[in-house]
Structure formats: structure tokens, C-alpha cells
Amino acid sequence: MGWRITGYRESYQGRLHIDGVDAVDLLRRYGSPLFVFSEKRIRANLERLRRAALSVHPRVKICFAAKANSLLGILRVIRESGADIEVNSGGELFKALRAGFRPEQIVFNGVSKTPEELSDAIVSGIYAINVDSSYELDLIEDLSRRLNRPANIALRIVPEIGTRSHAGLQTALLTSKFGMSQAQAVECLHRALKNPRAFNLVGLHIHIGSQTPDPEPYIQAFELVWRVALALYRETGHRLRHINLGGGFPVPYLHNSRLAEMLPEKERTLFTARLDFGQVLRQALERAATIGDHLAGDLLDRLELVFEPGRSIIADAGTLLATICNIKTRPETGDTWLLLDAGYELLLSMSNYKWYYHLVAAHRADDPHTTAYKVAGPLCDGGDVYFDIEGRGRLPDYRFLPEGLAGGDPLAVLDAGAYTLAQASHYNGRPLPAVVLVTESGELQLIRRRESYQDLLYAEV
Ligand code: PLP
């Protein structure tokens, strides 16, 4: 369970290197904190997923979930790697188009889309709007009529499938805010078919959640959606073009077995999760193939399978480099505290989901990481810490780092590419850090400049 990834994240002469580039040098050159992304790793992650899917089904569409990271420089890499995109707002749709994605490469999700966002999606002619409710279907019907253009739609079904992920990352429960029930979806499918001037009914969508550690929820989800698609075909002869199984494939974040042992089973499972995506898909398709006759088999073969991975593409491709800005001991508790220049303003999940991010001393990567420290961010908020402030043990109380760390030392927050910068805030008047991409050819590309104090005022009137 080491943190090294051969050819990508390694140590050389004791220092952390990303695609052969010295992390300490990067900090010196671009300042702290700093996000560093690897184009090679992004491409490799996409390729691994695509190959796994294609090994079990011939028609596959991988739509990167822009919510995980929507920097234009990252979206361009994704597009150039041949992937498509999933967006969740008018803003992400705008960025996707700006990054050069063609409309037929775009899938639009969202529980609360505005008429303006829906109009933009209809006019652009995107691959599919994933309709969240019967109300939204009415809205789209009205807009399509006015725009004199049918909308490509898929319906988002929320079954009752739980996962072992964090409660906030589960999206397939009837108690969640997402999608429509199976019965509602069936009704909407028939309504949509009756009005071809307004709707081009192309698919079904389901997303069971993020960081899902087990295969069975995917298999169940596919079975359920497949049954709906098959029933529709039998009743009406309408062939859906695609089934969208969403994203959620997990990434292992915890790279230290001693820390893993300290966590409750739920968190240990969550942060060490690995899934063989090809294997999961194979099992899902095998189960689906047992349902129905040869006509069903033909329908299944011709279906395009859509996926919306975010985390599994971008999380481990991003590293957040930070600096120890203050260090103190508390003789009363025996603790040594490291206060960094990066906290939950950049790692929101750490605070709201008690998300684990692994820390490595970038300048002493090969030294034993065995000394226990309390680690915290810079914000004026007692919750801005790298442990579970509520004392419920969902994060380790201490982090293991080399002995004798000092102010000014660089730390690397690993696997920090997903749901970090995308959720970042200016809290406490902290400008957002610079972002550097190590390109495939090993060049350094600044894809977001460090914000200035002036930038803190950019929209104020
Ligand atoms: N699709 C939808 C509808 C989502 O809500 C999300 C995020 O939860 C994703 C895709 C991406 O999930 P992940 O980043 O876990 O792959």
C-alpha cells in the first residue's frame, strides 16, 4: 500500500518527483501552495478505463465528470485523450464548449436545472440531458416547443441501492435528492415517446454514488436499468441508444497500513478501495444477459454504455504541495503541531466528509514516516484540521511523517486532483494557488496562475 506509482510518483535522491520533476523545485519556482497535475497520468487513467470497458463491450462512451475538476487546462487534456464530458451546470457546459468539446460529446446532469441552462443544452444539441423529474420533463417539453427543437433526453432513475460509501456520496437511495423512481421513470418514458416533436428519447441514467467500494451495487443498478429498457422495447419497440451507468469508481487514498489499522472498518474500506472496472462491467453484462431472449441480446449488444468517471481519472493525477508555516509543541498533551498553508479552503471534503488525504514529506520522501504529528490548515476555524475534530475516529488522530520537521518544510498532499480545487473557496481571504501541468513531453505548463489579493475583489461592485 505504498504511495509510489512507478514512472509517475516516485522518489529520487530522497525527494518526491512527479513525472521526473522535483516537487521541491516546483514549490520554489511557483510558490506555495501549488497544485501539480500529470498529463501522462490523466491519459493513463482514461486509457485504462476505456480499455477495460472495451474488453467487455464494443460501444463505450467515457464522459469525464467535470465536477471533479473543471480547469480548462485539464479539460483540454481530457478532450485530447479522446474522452467526452459530463457537466452539471450551465457554467460547466460553458467551460466544456470553451475547452473544445463538441455538443454530441456532452451529457448534462443536475437536480435543479434552470430554464436557461436547459435552453442552452437544447440549442447546443448535446448528447443527452439527464432528466431528473417529471416536472423537469414538462419544462423541457415547453422549452423544446418554443425553440422548435427536440431535446435529446435520458431519464435519471433513482432505485433503492445503498453502497458502503460516505452518506453524502450516495445518490441511489430513494431518500436522496436525485432522479425519479422506477415507476415515475416508466411513466415519463411513455410520455416522452408520445411527443417526438419535443423529445428524442435516447437513454436511461443511473449514478449510485462516488467512491463506491463494492461491485454489487453497480451490477444491481445495471440490472434494474436494463429491465426498464427491455420492458420499454417489448411494449413499444423503441430501442434506447444508451444506458448511462454514471461514475463513482473508487481510488485508494490511504497508503499506510499502520494508519489503515487505526481506522474503523468503514473508513478503512472506503479509503483503501480498489475495483476492477472491467470485471464489474463483465459481471453486470453477464447478469443482464440472463434476462430476456435473443432479441434482448441484440438490444444489449447494440447499446452504447456511457460512464461518467471523475475521481478515478483525476484524483491521483493531482498533488497539492504545501508548506509548514508554523510549528508548535504542546507540553500538556505531548503533541507537536504542523500548521500548513493548505486546509479545507482547498480540501473541503477533509472537513465535510472527513476525507483522508495522504501526506508525504516532499524533501525527505525516503525517510521513515513514523513520527506522529497533529496536522492542521491555516484557517481561523478549529475544524480546519487533518484529523476528526469530533473525536469519532473517522480520520487518524495523528499523521506519520519524518522526525524533526521544521517550519518551511514542504509536504505533499497526494491524490488531491478531484473535488479539491473544484470546491475551493477564498475563505479567510486566501487567494487560490497556481496550478501546473507536467505535460506528456515533460514540460511545465502553468494552467492557472496564482491569484493575487486584487483577484479577491474581482466581482465586487
Ligand atoms: N455522475 C454523476 C451524476 C455524479 O453525481 C458524479 C459525482 O458524484 C459523477 C458522475 C462522478 O463521480 P466520481 O467522481 O466518483 O467518478
Side-chain angles (χ1 to χ4, degrees):
M1 64 159 34
W3 54 264
R4 290 172 176 78
I5 300 174
T6 307
Y8 161 50
R9 198 165 68 191
E10 298 167 304
S11 59
Y12 180 67
Q13 295 184 335
R15 305 219 309 212
L16 171 69
H17 280 62
I18 295 163
D19 283 341
V21 180
D22 187 334
V24 179
D25 283 350
L26 281 172
L27 263 186
R28 277 200 201 115
R29 179 163 166 190
Y30 292 99
S32 181
L34 175 73
F35 278 97
V36 184
F37 284 87
S38 157
E39 174 170 7
K40 252 201 252 169
R41 186 70 186 166
I42 297 172
R43 285 178 180 267
N45 287 344
L46 269 171
E47 200 44 38
R48 197 171 348 98
L49 218 62
R50 184 187 290 123
R51 273 218 203 117
L54 283 173
S55 71
V56 283
H57 190 78
R59 273 165 283 283
V60 169
K61 189 175 176 75
I62 308 266
C63 296
F64 172 68
K67 67 180 76 65
N69 188 318
S70 63
L71 282 179
L72 278 189
I74 299 295
L75 297 188
R76 271 192 218 109
V77 172
I78 300 279
R79 182 176 58 72
E80 285 165 11
S81 312
D84 299 333
I85 189 162
E86 181 259 355
V87 301
N88 229 273
S89 68
E92 285 182 359
L93 176 61
F94 164 78
K95 287 176 103 175
L97 291 169
R98 183 60 76 89
F101 286 93
R102 285 173 281 110
E104 63 271 24
Q105 293 182 282
I106 304 173
V107 168
F108 194 149
N109 277 301
V111 291
S112 182
K113 307 180 195 82
T114 64
E116 293 74 24
E117 288 175 321
L118 288 167
S119 297
D120 286 350
I122 296 169
V123 170
S124 306
I126 65 170
Y127 180 83
I129 300 171
N130 289 337
V131 182
D132 194 72
S133 68
S134 170
Y135 174 87
E136 193 176 277
L137 196 70
D138 287 339
L139 200 57
I140 295 174
E141 186 167 13
D142 184 43
L143 292 166
S144 296
R145 194 164 24 82
R146 278 198 259 158
L147 296 165
N148 198 20
R149 194 157 175 178
N152 295 329
I153 59 160
L155 304 187
R156 177 165 186 170
I157 300 184
V158 60
E160 181 64 12
I161 297 177
T163 77
R164 290 199 293 162
S165 188
H166 191 286
L169 298 180
Q170 295 204 36
T171 52
L173 293 170
L174 285 164
T175 47
S176 80
K177 65 177 181 175
F178 300 94
M180 54 183 99
S181 71
Q182 188 176 336
Q184 290 168 327
V186 170
E187 194 211 318
C188 287
L189 285 172
H190 288 282
R191 255 182 61 204
L193 277 185
K194 283 197 192 114
N195 192 349
R197 288 171 70 108
F199 304 114
N200 184 20
L201 177 62
V202 288
L204 290 170
H205 174 247
I206 195 165
H207 168 72
I208 54 175
S210 193
Q211 190 74 0
T212 302
D214 304 301
E216 189 55 29
Y218 286 105
I219 298 167
Q220 277 178 27
F222 188 68
E223 177 179 347
L224 183 135
V225 181
W226 168 239
R227 282 183 189 277
V228 175
L230 194 55
L232 182 76
Y233 178 51
R234 290 213 173 107
E235 282 168 39
T236 66
H238 185 77
R239 280 173 182 270
L240 291 179
R241 177 184 67 192
H242 75 262
I243 285 181
N244 182 338
L245 269 182
F249 320 120
V251 170
Y253 284 81
L254 224 174
H255 306 292
N256 180 308
S257 45
R258 192 167 154 208
L259 284 180
E261 278 162 25
M262 290 174 173
L263 288 180
E265 195 198 332
K266 184 171 180 222
E267 281 68 23
R268 187 167 57 243
T269 305
L270 193 60
F271 297 128
T272 56
R274 285 174 195 272
L275 268 192
D276 180 335
F277 174 63
Q279 185 64 18
V280 175
L281 191 56
R282 179 172 289 112
Q283 284 175 267
L285 284 166
E286 279 169 5
R287 186 167 313 166
T290 62
I291 302 159
D293 47 24
H294 71 281
L295 275 181
D298 181 57
L299 183 67
L300 190 57
D301 287 346
R302 290 212 228 161
L303 267 183
E304 180 154 52
L305 297 184
V306 180
F307 300 96
E308 302 170 341
R311 193 186 295 282
S312 54
I313 304 301
I314 201 67
D316 71 11
T319 308
L320 172 60
L321 300 177
T323 300
I324 300 171
C325 288
N326 184 12
I327 186 162
K328 60 180 146 190
T329 53
R330 272 215 205 288
E332 298 79 358
T333 59
D335 291 334
T336 301
W337 284 76
L338 306 178
L339 291 308
L340 314 186
D341 56 3
Y344 77 62
E345 80 287 6
L346 302 177
L347 304 166
L348 183 63
S349 305
M350 186 169 76
S351 150
N352 68 350
Y353 292 158
K354 302 293 170 262
W355 205 261
Y356 179 86
Y357 293 98
H358 195 71
L359 298 180
V360 171
H363 62 317
R364 294 172 58 191
D366 289 339
D367 289 7
H369 282 46
T370 47
T371 302
Y373 295 92
K374 282 272 182 201
V375 181
L379 303 176
C380 190
D381 179 339
D384 181 34
V385 291
Y386 286 63
F387 55 90
D388 186 351
I389 187 78
E390 289 157 59
R392 290 164 61 191
R394 292 168 295 179
L395 283 172
D397 284 338
Y398 296 90
R399 294 309 184 91
F400 295 122
L401 291 158
E403 194 183 3
L405 288 180
D409 284 349
L411 295 187
V413 183
L414 305 187
D415 309 305
Y419 305 104
T420 48
L421 202 53
Q423 298 180 341
S425 77
H426 287 136
Y427 185 44
N428 271 195
R430 302 186 71 85
L432 296 183
V435 184
V436 168
L437 179 74
V438 184
T439 67
E440 218 174 8
S441 57
E443 281 156 32
L444 299 178
Q445 210 178 74
L446 185 68
I447 57 173
R448 195 174 206 282
R449 66 166 170 79
R450 181 171 304 285
E451 288 185 357
S452 64
Y453 290 149
Q454 201 60 34
D455 290 323
L456 296 176
L457 307 176
Y458 75 101
E460 297 200 16
V461 179

Short mmCIF file of all heavy atoms in Angstrom, two decimals, residues 122-175:
data_model
loop_
_atom_site.label_atom_id
_atom_site.label_comp_id
_atom_site.label_asym_id
_atom_site.label_seq_id
_atom_site.Cartn_x
_atom_site.Cartn_y
_atom_site.Cartn_z
N ILE A 122 -30.47 22.42 -24.99
CA ILE A 122 -31.31 22.02 -26.14
C ILE A 122 -30.76 22.65 -27.42
O ILE A 122 -30.58 21.98 -28.44
CB ILE A 122 -32.79 22.44 -25.92
CG1 ILE A 122 -33.36 21.69 -24.71
CG2 ILE A 122 -33.62 22.17 -27.17
CD1 ILE A 122 -34.72 22.21 -24.24
N VAL A 123 -30.47 23.93 -27.33
CA VAL A 123 -29.98 24.64 -28.53
C VAL A 123 -28.63 24.07 -28.98
O VAL A 123 -28.38 23.92 -30.17
CB VAL A 123 -29.87 26.17 -28.23
CG1 VAL A 123 -29.16 26.89 -29.36
CG2 VAL A 123 -31.27 26.75 -28.03
N SER A 124 -27.79 23.74 -28.02
CA SER A 124 -26.48 23.17 -28.40
C SER A 124 -26.63 21.80 -29.03
O SER A 124 -25.75 21.35 -29.76
CB SER A 124 -25.57 23.02 -27.19
OG SER A 124 -25.45 24.21 -26.51
N GLY A 125 -27.73 21.10 -28.69
CA GLY A 125 -27.93 19.76 -29.26
C GLY A 125 -27.01 18.73 -28.63
O GLY A 125 -26.44 17.89 -29.33
N ILE A 126 -26.87 18.79 -27.30
CA ILE A 126 -25.93 17.87 -26.64
C ILE A 126 -26.42 16.42 -26.71
O ILE A 126 -27.58 16.16 -27.02
CB ILE A 126 -25.67 18.28 -25.17
CG1 ILE A 126 -26.95 18.16 -24.34
CG2 ILE A 126 -25.08 19.68 -25.09
CD1 ILE A 126 -26.71 18.31 -22.86
N TYR A 127 -25.53 15.51 -26.38
CA TYR A 127 -25.79 14.06 -26.48
C TYR A 127 -27.02 13.66 -25.65
O TYR A 127 -27.88 12.95 -26.12
CB TYR A 127 -24.55 13.31 -25.98
CG TYR A 127 -24.62 11.81 -26.02
CD1 TYR A 127 -24.35 11.12 -27.19
CD2 TYR A 127 -24.92 11.08 -24.86
CE1 TYR A 127 -24.39 9.73 -27.22
CE2 TYR A 127 -24.96 9.70 -24.88
CZ TYR A 127 -24.71 9.02 -26.06
OH TYR A 127 -24.75 7.65 -26.08
N ALA A 128 -27.08 14.14 -24.41
CA ALA A 128 -28.26 13.83 -23.59
C ALA A 128 -28.38 14.80 -22.42
O ALA A 128 -27.38 15.12 -21.77
CB ALA A 128 -28.19 12.41 -23.06
N ILE A 129 -29.62 15.22 -22.20
CA ILE A 129 -29.95 15.88 -20.93
C ILE A 129 -30.51 14.77 -20.04
O ILE A 129 -31.47 14.10 -20.44
CB ILE A 129 -31.03 16.97 -21.13
CG1 ILE A 129 -30.55 18.04 -22.10
CG2 ILE A 129 -31.44 17.56 -19.78
CD1 ILE A 129 -31.66 19.03 -22.51
N ASN A 130 -29.91 14.55 -18.89
CA ASN A 130 -30.43 13.53 -17.99
C ASN A 130 -31.53 14.16 -17.14
O ASN A 130 -31.25 14.95 -16.24
CB ASN A 130 -29.31 12.94 -17.14
CG ASN A 130 -28.37 12.08 -17.96
OD1 ASN A 130 -28.76 11.57 -19.02
ND2 ASN A 130 -27.14 11.91 -17.52
N VAL A 131 -32.76 13.78 -17.46
CA VAL A 131 -33.92 14.44 -16.85
C VAL A 131 -34.11 13.91 -15.43
O VAL A 131 -34.12 12.70 -15.20
CB VAL A 131 -35.18 14.16 -17.70
CG1 VAL A 131 -36.39 14.87 -17.10
CG2 VAL A 131 -34.95 14.59 -19.14
N ASP A 132 -34.28 14.85 -14.50
CA ASP A 132 -34.28 14.48 -13.09
C ASP A 132 -35.67 14.19 -12.52
O ASP A 132 -35.81 13.54 -11.51
CB ASP A 132 -33.63 15.60 -12.28
CG ASP A 132 -33.29 15.16 -10.87
OD1 ASP A 132 -32.35 14.36 -10.71
OD2 ASP A 132 -34.01 15.57 -9.93
N SER A 133 -36.74 14.74 -13.16
CA SER A 133 -38.07 14.58 -12.60
C SER A 133 -39.13 14.79 -13.68
O SER A 133 -38.82 15.30 -14.77
CB SER A 133 -38.30 15.61 -11.50
OG SER A 133 -38.35 16.91 -12.09
N SER A 134 -40.34 14.45 -13.33
CA SER A 134 -41.47 14.67 -14.23
C SER A 134 -41.65 16.18 -14.46
O SER A 134 -41.97 16.63 -15.55
CB SER A 134 -42.69 14.04 -13.58
OG SER A 134 -43.83 14.39 -14.25
N TYR A 135 -41.42 16.95 -13.41
CA TYR A 135 -41.51 18.41 -13.52
C TYR A 135 -40.53 18.92 -14.58
O TYR A 135 -40.86 19.74 -15.43
CB TYR A 135 -41.20 19.05 -12.17
CG TYR A 135 -41.13 20.56 -12.22
CD1 TYR A 135 -42.28 21.33 -12.07
CD2 TYR A 135 -39.92 21.22 -12.44
CE1 TYR A 135 -42.23 22.71 -12.15
CE2 TYR A 135 -39.86 22.60 -12.52
CZ TYR A 135 -41.01 23.34 -12.37
OH TYR A 135 -40.96 24.70 -12.44
N GLU A 136 -39.31 18.39 -14.53
CA GLU A 136 -38.29 18.84 -15.49
C GLU A 136 -38.66 18.42 -16.91
O GLU A 136 -38.38 19.14 -17.88
CB GLU A 136 -36.91 18.28 -15.09
CG GLU A 136 -35.78 18.97 -15.84
CD GLU A 136 -34.42 18.48 -15.39
OE1 GLU A 136 -33.91 18.98 -14.36
OE2 GLU A 136 -33.86 17.59 -16.05
N LEU A 137 -39.30 17.26 -17.00
CA LEU A 137 -39.74 16.83 -18.33
C LEU A 137 -40.74 17.83 -18.91
O LEU A 137 -40.66 18.19 -20.09
CB LEU A 137 -40.38 15.43 -18.24
CG LEU A 137 -40.53 14.69 -19.56
CD1 LEU A 137 -39.17 14.26 -20.11
CD2 LEU A 137 -41.43 13.46 -19.40
N ASP A 138 -41.66 18.30 -18.06
CA ASP A 138 -42.63 19.33 -18.50
C ASP A 138 -41.90 20.58 -18.99
O ASP A 138 -42.25 21.17 -20.01
CB ASP A 138 -43.53 19.76 -17.34
CG ASP A 138 -44.56 18.69 -16.98
OD1 ASP A 138 -44.82 17.84 -17.85
OD2 ASP A 138 -45.06 18.71 -15.84
N LEU A 139 -40.92 20.96 -18.20
CA LEU A 139 -40.17 22.18 -18.52
C LEU A 139 -39.47 22.04 -19.88
O LEU A 139 -39.53 22.95 -20.73
CB LEU A 139 -39.12 22.36 -17.42
CG LEU A 139 -38.49 23.71 -17.19
CD1 LEU A 139 -39.55 24.75 -16.91
CD2 LEU A 139 -37.53 23.63 -15.98
N ILE A 140 -38.86 20.88 -20.09
CA ILE A 140 -38.14 20.65 -21.35
C ILE A 140 -39.14 20.62 -22.52
O ILE A 140 -38.86 21.15 -23.60
CB ILE A 140 -37.33 19.33 -21.27
CG1 ILE A 140 -36.23 19.46 -20.22
CG2 ILE A 140 -36.71 18.98 -22.62
CD1 ILE A 140 -35.47 18.19 -19.94
N GLU A 141 -40.30 20.03 -22.27
CA GLU A 141 -41.32 19.96 -23.32
C GLU A 141 -41.69 21.37 -23.78
O GLU A 141 -41.74 21.69 -24.97
CB GLU A 141 -42.55 19.23 -22.78
CG GLU A 141 -43.61 18.98 -23.82
CD GLU A 141 -44.66 17.99 -23.34
OE1 GLU A 141 -44.71 17.67 -22.13
OE2 GLU A 141 -45.43 17.52 -24.20
N ASP A 142 -41.91 22.20 -22.80
CA ASP A 142 -42.30 23.58 -23.09
C ASP A 142 -41.17 24.32 -23.84
O ASP A 142 -41.41 24.98 -24.85
CB ASP A 142 -42.60 24.26 -21.74
CG ASP A 142 -43.10 25.66 -21.93
OD1 ASP A 142 -43.93 25.85 -22.85
OD2 ASP A 142 -42.64 26.57 -21.21
N LEU A 143 -39.95 24.15 -23.36
CA LEU A 143 -38.82 24.84 -23.99
C LEU A 143 -38.58 24.32 -25.41
O LEU A 143 -38.32 25.09 -26.33
CB LEU A 143 -37.55 24.64 -23.15
CG LEU A 143 -37.54 25.34 -21.79
CD1 LEU A 143 -36.40 24.80 -20.92
CD2 LEU A 143 -37.39 26.84 -21.97
N SER A 144 -38.67 23.00 -25.59
CA SER A 144 -38.43 22.42 -26.91
C SER A 144 -39.44 22.95 -27.91
O SER A 144 -39.09 23.24 -29.06
CB SER A 144 -38.56 20.90 -26.86
OG SER A 144 -37.59 20.38 -26.04
N ARG A 145 -40.69 23.05 -27.45
CA ARG A 145 -41.73 23.57 -28.36
C ARG A 145 -41.38 25.00 -28.76
O ARG A 145 -41.40 25.36 -29.93
CB ARG A 145 -43.08 23.50 -27.66
CG ARG A 145 -44.26 23.68 -28.60
CD ARG A 145 -45.60 23.24 -28.01
NE ARG A 145 -45.68 23.25 -26.56
CZ ARG A 145 -45.93 24.33 -25.82
NH1 ARG A 145 -46.11 25.49 -26.37
NH2 ARG A 145 -45.98 24.24 -24.50
N ARG A 146 -41.03 25.80 -27.77
CA ARG A 146 -40.72 27.21 -28.08
C ARG A 146 -39.48 27.35 -28.96
O ARG A 146 -39.40 28.23 -29.80
CB ARG A 146 -40.51 27.99 -26.78
CG ARG A 146 -41.86 28.40 -26.20
CD ARG A 146 -41.70 29.50 -25.22
NE ARG A 146 -41.77 28.94 -23.88
CZ ARG A 146 -41.27 29.51 -22.80
NH1 ARG A 146 -40.60 30.62 -22.91
NH2 ARG A 146 -41.40 28.94 -21.64
N LEU A 147 -38.50 26.46 -28.72
CA LEU A 147 -37.26 26.54 -29.50
C LEU A 147 -37.38 25.80 -30.83
O LEU A 147 -36.47 25.84 -31.65
CB LEU A 147 -36.09 25.95 -28.70
CG LEU A 147 -35.74 26.70 -27.41
CD1 LEU A 147 -34.84 25.85 -26.51
CD2 LEU A 147 -35.02 28.01 -27.75
N ASN A 148 -38.51 25.11 -30.96
CA ASN A 148 -38.77 24.34 -32.17
C ASN A 148 -37.64 23.33 -32.45
O ASN A 148 -37.14 23.23 -33.57
CB ASN A 148 -38.93 25.30 -33.36
CG ASN A 148 -39.62 24.60 -34.52
OD1 ASN A 148 -40.28 23.58 -34.31
ND2 ASN A 148 -39.43 25.11 -35.73
N ARG A 149 -37.27 22.64 -31.39
CA ARG A 149 -36.15 21.72 -31.49
C ARG A 149 -36.32 20.60 -30.45
O ARG A 149 -36.44 20.90 -29.26
CB ARG A 149 -34.89 22.52 -31.18
CG ARG A 149 -33.68 21.79 -31.56
CD ARG A 149 -32.51 22.61 -31.80
NE ARG A 149 -31.48 21.61 -32.02
CZ ARG A 149 -30.25 21.86 -32.32
NH1 ARG A 149 -29.88 23.11 -32.45
NH2 ARG A 149 -29.38 20.91 -32.50
N PRO A 150 -36.35 19.33 -30.87
CA PRO A 150 -36.48 18.28 -29.86
C PRO A 150 -35.21 18.17 -29.02
O PRO A 150 -34.10 18.41 -29.51
CB PRO A 150 -36.70 17.01 -30.68
CG PRO A 150 -36.18 17.31 -32.04
CD PRO A 150 -36.21 18.79 -32.23
N ALA A 151 -35.42 17.82 -27.76
CA ALA A 151 -34.27 17.67 -26.86
C ALA A 151 -33.88 16.19 -26.77
O ALA A 151 -34.75 15.33 -26.66
CB ALA A 151 -34.65 18.17 -25.47
N ASN A 152 -32.59 15.91 -26.81
CA ASN A 152 -32.12 14.54 -26.57
C ASN A 152 -32.18 14.29 -25.07
O ASN A 152 -31.49 14.97 -24.31
CB ASN A 152 -30.67 14.38 -27.04
CG ASN A 152 -30.54 14.55 -28.53
OD1 ASN A 152 -31.47 14.22 -29.28
ND2 ASN A 152 -29.42 15.08 -28.98
N ILE A 153 -33.01 13.34 -24.68
CA ILE A 153 -33.15 13.14 -23.23
C ILE A 153 -32.90 11.70 -22.81
O ILE A 153 -33.18 10.75 -23.54
CB ILE A 153 -34.55 13.57 -22.71
CG1 ILE A 153 -35.66 12.76 -23.41
CG2 ILE A 153 -34.77 15.06 -22.84
CD1 ILE A 153 -36.96 12.76 -22.61
N ALA A 154 -32.38 11.59 -21.59
CA ALA A 154 -32.29 10.30 -20.89
C ALA A 154 -32.94 10.55 -19.54
O ALA A 154 -32.95 11.68 -19.06
CB ALA A 154 -30.84 9.88 -20.73
N LEU A 155 -33.49 9.52 -18.93
CA LEU A 155 -34.13 9.72 -17.63
C LEU A 155 -33.24 9.19 -16.52
O LEU A 155 -32.70 8.08 -16.63
CB LEU A 155 -35.48 9.00 -17.57
CG LEU A 155 -36.49 9.36 -18.67
CD1 LEU A 155 -37.82 8.68 -18.38
CD2 LEU A 155 -36.69 10.87 -18.77
N ARG A 156 -33.10 9.97 -15.47
CA ARG A 156 -32.27 9.52 -14.34
C ARG A 156 -33.14 8.77 -13.33
O ARG A 156 -34.05 9.35 -12.73
CB ARG A 156 -31.59 10.71 -13.65
CG ARG A 156 -30.80 10.26 -12.44
CD ARG A 156 -29.85 11.29 -11.93
NE ARG A 156 -29.03 10.75 -10.86
CZ ARG A 156 -27.98 11.37 -10.35
NH1 ARG A 156 -27.63 12.54 -10.83
NH2 ARG A 156 -27.29 10.82 -9.37
N ILE A 157 -32.82 7.51 -13.17
CA ILE A 157 -33.59 6.68 -12.24
C ILE A 157 -32.85 6.60 -10.91
O ILE A 157 -31.63 6.44 -10.87
CB ILE A 157 -33.77 5.24 -12.79
CG1 ILE A 157 -34.51 5.30 -14.12
CG2 ILE A 157 -34.50 4.37 -11.80
CD1 ILE A 157 -34.83 3.94 -14.71
N VAL A 158 -33.63 6.74 -9.82
CA VAL A 158 -33.02 6.50 -8.52
C VAL A 158 -33.68 5.26 -7.94
O VAL A 158 -34.85 5.24 -7.63
CB VAL A 158 -33.15 7.75 -7.60
CG1 VAL A 158 -34.56 8.15 -7.35
CG2 VAL A 158 -32.42 7.54 -6.30
N PRO A 159 -32.94 4.16 -7.92
CA PRO A 159 -33.53 2.94 -7.36
C PRO A 159 -33.34 2.99 -5.84
O PRO A 159 -33.20 4.08 -5.28
CB PRO A 159 -32.67 1.86 -8.00
CG PRO A 159 -31.36 2.51 -8.24
CD PRO A 159 -31.56 4.00 -8.30
N GLU A 160 -33.32 1.88 -5.22
CA GLU A 160 -33.01 1.88 -3.78
C GLU A 160 -31.78 1.00 -3.63
O GLU A 160 -31.87 -0.16 -3.26
CB GLU A 160 -34.22 1.36 -3.01
CG GLU A 160 -34.08 1.32 -1.50
CD GLU A 160 -33.90 2.69 -0.83
OE1 GLU A 160 -34.09 3.72 -1.49
OE2 GLU A 160 -33.52 2.69 0.35
N ILE A 161 -30.61 1.57 -3.99
CA ILE A 161 -29.38 0.79 -3.90
C ILE A 161 -28.39 1.54 -3.00
O ILE A 161 -27.96 2.64 -3.33
CB ILE A 161 -28.76 0.57 -5.29
CG1 ILE A 161 -29.72 -0.25 -6.17
CG2 ILE A 161 -27.41 -0.15 -5.18
CD1 ILE A 161 -29.24 -0.48 -7.59
N GLY A 162 -28.10 0.94 -1.87
CA GLY A 162 -27.14 1.55 -0.95
C GLY A 162 -25.74 1.10 -1.29
O GLY A 162 -25.54 0.08 -1.96
N THR A 163 -24.76 1.87 -0.85
CA THR A 163 -23.36 1.48 -1.03
C THR A 163 -22.65 1.67 0.30
O THR A 163 -23.22 2.23 1.24
CB THR A 163 -22.65 2.34 -2.10
OG1 THR A 163 -22.34 3.61 -1.52
CG2 THR A 163 -23.51 2.55 -3.34
N ARG A 164 -21.40 1.24 0.33
CA ARG A 164 -20.63 1.45 1.57
C ARG A 164 -19.79 2.72 1.49
O ARG A 164 -18.75 2.82 2.10
CB ARG A 164 -19.73 0.23 1.82
CG ARG A 164 -20.53 -1.00 2.20
CD ARG A 164 -19.67 -2.03 2.89
NE ARG A 164 -18.66 -2.60 2.00
CZ ARG A 164 -17.57 -3.25 2.43
NH1 ARG A 164 -17.35 -3.36 3.72
NH2 ARG A 164 -16.72 -3.75 1.57
N SER A 165 -20.24 3.69 0.71
CA SER A 165 -19.51 4.96 0.65
C SER A 165 -20.04 5.91 1.72
O SER A 165 -20.96 5.59 2.47
CB SER A 165 -19.65 5.59 -0.74
OG SER A 165 -18.80 6.71 -0.84
N HIS A 166 -19.48 7.09 1.76
CA HIS A 166 -19.93 8.13 2.69
C HIS A 166 -21.38 8.50 2.36
O HIS A 166 -21.77 8.54 1.19
CB HIS A 166 -19.02 9.35 2.49
CG HIS A 166 -19.21 10.37 3.54
ND1 HIS A 166 -20.32 11.19 3.58
CD2 HIS A 166 -18.46 10.72 4.60
CE1 HIS A 166 -20.22 12.00 4.62
NE2 HIS A 166 -19.09 11.73 5.26
N ALA A 167 -22.17 8.79 3.40
CA ALA A 167 -23.59 9.09 3.19
C ALA A 167 -23.79 10.21 2.17
O ALA A 167 -24.69 10.16 1.32
CB ALA A 167 -24.25 9.46 4.51
N GLY A 168 -22.93 11.22 2.23
CA GLY A 168 -23.07 12.35 1.31
C GLY A 168 -22.72 12.00 -0.13
O GLY A 168 -22.99 12.78 -1.04
N LEU A 169 -22.11 10.85 -0.32
CA LEU A 169 -21.69 10.45 -1.66
C LEU A 169 -22.57 9.33 -2.21
O LEU A 169 -22.25 8.72 -3.21
CB LEU A 169 -20.22 10.01 -1.66
CG LEU A 169 -19.21 11.08 -1.24
CD1 LEU A 169 -17.80 10.52 -1.28
CD2 LEU A 169 -19.30 12.29 -2.15
N GLN A 170 -23.69 9.08 -1.56
CA GLN A 170 -24.61 8.05 -2.05
C GLN A 170 -25.76 8.74 -2.77
O GLN A 170 -26.40 9.63 -2.22
CB GLN A 170 -25.14 7.23 -0.89
CG GLN A 170 -24.06 6.44 -0.21
CD GLN A 170 -24.61 5.23 0.52
OE1 GLN A 170 -25.56 4.60 0.08
NE2 GLN A 170 -24.00 4.91 1.63
N THR A 171 -26.03 8.30 -3.97
CA THR A 171 -27.01 9.02 -4.76
C THR A 171 -28.09 8.11 -5.34
O THR A 171 -28.83 8.51 -6.22
CB THR A 171 -26.29 9.75 -5.93
OG1 THR A 171 -25.50 8.79 -6.63
CG2 THR A 171 -25.42 10.87 -5.45
N ALA A 172 -28.15 6.87 -4.88
CA ALA A 172 -29.13 5.95 -5.48
C ALA A 172 -30.16 5.48 -4.45
O ALA A 172 -30.77 4.43 -4.60
CB ALA A 172 -28.42 4.76 -6.10
N LEU A 173 -30.33 6.27 -3.41
CA LEU A 173 -31.33 5.93 -2.41
C LEU A 173 -32.58 6.79 -2.63
O LEU A 173 -32.47 7.96 -3.01
CB LEU A 173 -30.78 6.18 -1.00
CG LEU A 173 -29.61 5.26 -0.59
CD1 LEU A 173 -28.98 5.76 0.70
CD2 LEU A 173 -30.10 3.82 -0.44
N LEU A 174 -33.72 6.22 -2.36
CA LEU A 174 -34.96 7.00 -2.53
C LEU A 174 -35.01 8.16 -1.55
O LEU A 174 -35.76 9.11 -1.74
CB LEU A 174 -36.17 6.08 -2.38
CG LEU A 174 -36.40 5.17 -3.59
CD1 LEU A 174 -37.34 4.04 -3.27
CD2 LEU A 174 -36.89 5.96 -4.80
N THR A 175 -34.21 8.09 -0.51
CA THR A 175 -34.15 9.21 0.44
C THR A 175 -33.18 10.30 -0.04
O THR A 175 -33.03 11.32 0.60
CB THR A 175 -33.68 8.71 1.82
OG1 THR A 175 -32.55 7.86 1.62
CG2 THR A 175 -34.77 7.95 2.54
#
